[in-house]
Amino acid sequence: MPAPGRTGITAVMNLARFPRRRYTPFATPIEAMPRLSAALGGAELWIKRDDMLGLGGGGNKTRKLEFLMAAALAEGADTIVTMGAPQSNHCRLTLSAAAKEGLACRLIIEERVAGSYRTDALGNNLLFDLMGAASQRVVPLGTDIAAELAAEAAAVRAAGGRPYVIPGGGSNPLGALGYAACALEIVEQSFGMGVVFDRLVVASGSAGTHAGLLAGLVALHAGLPVTGINVRRPRAEQEGNVHALAVATAALLGTPAPARDEVVALADWVGPGYSLPTPEMVAAVRQVAALEGILLDPVYSGKAMAGLIALVTSGAIAPGERVLFLHTGGSPSLHAFAGDLR
Ligand SMILES: *Cc1c(COP(=O)(O)O)cnc(C)c1O
């Protein structure tokens, strides 16, 4: 029997044990998308607006950084070291959090598409400069990133600083707690709104978002399946990555591990590769902007929405289903892709 006054929800996952900075003073809204749903003529589509999270141009990395920055501060770090692609939302938001906390931030930029890095690029590349990155070092795809991060941290130490290294995408078990917390938020909002969702659809990249959601939903016995849409890797590889991180996140939480067959990460909308535009992505970004007034992004949420639209129009998602799409943010990069989107 649960102790008196204890709710069924918090009894299965105690996130309050983990130090946390607060970068968003509210729960992000869950909104209906009636015009998009009607245009597609199938499932009832809803959207969780994690594009409205805090920090500079908030998106999914904001939730991970609440736990990661708290750990950095607890260790007495004065410099954050992290990495990402040239238009990385993760680098932008880590830099924003570091600026807010009064810490330096050193970025390693992985040029995943050869020749794509330009110092005068708009979008997140411009914002790295505005928020004052302490350094930006560009390395080619195939570089040993773990070694580069370690070398950067060693350079900070050699100069008398105290580095804290955050992995790409903030995707380690501590960062993924941000999305276990989001799972709790979704379950509470669903209860409060009296709206039951049949499925959650989300972009799957460095895997922390997908893995954290799964760990949280399993801990909460939510009965809400997650369909991930890959933006970079083949299906089996991504599902393995998500499962491993979900298991490690559950271990950190002390909750049951998600099973391998609960991990679904479809790879049909990656196109020619990470961050490379596809006609389906362009159509999805334009349709959601025109029908719902919501800005997606070209690299992640646009491809995830292209997947959702295809699953609905093909009937793979049944007409009666109520689907929640997690908008992970990313619209600050739209201007860097203007030529592809017009
Ligand atoms: C990083 C990112 C994702 C993917 O999240 P992961 O946790 O890396 O899988 C999705 N959307 C946007 C906008 C992102 O910046």
Side-chain angles (χ1 to χ4, degrees), residues 58-61 64 87-93 124 168-171 176 179 202-212 229 231 238 242 245 274 296-302 304 326-333:
N60 63 341
K61 306 310 179 304
K64 302 178 187 182
Q87 287 296 331
S88 170
N89 298 297
H90 167 69
C91 285
R92 182 190 75 251
L93 288 165
N124 293 322
S171 286
Y179 272 88
V202 64
S204 197
S206 65
T209 303
H210 190 171
I229 311 283
V231 298
Q238 181 68 6
V242 171
L245 185 52
Y274 174 80
L296 300 173
D297 83 284
V299 180
Y300 299 95
S301 56
L326 181 74
H327 187 341
T328 43
S331 67
S333 78

Side-chain angles (χ1 to χ4, degrees), residues 25-47:
F26 49 80
T28 58
I30 291 180
E31 299 170 352
M33 293 195 287
R35 303 189 69 225
L36 179 66
S37 303
L40 300 180
E44 186 183 311
L45 306 180
W46 295 67
I47 188 164

Side-chain angles (χ1 to χ4, degrees), residues 41-44 312 315 317-322:
E44 186 183 311
V312 169
I317 291 183
E321 268 196 51
R322 191 178 275 148

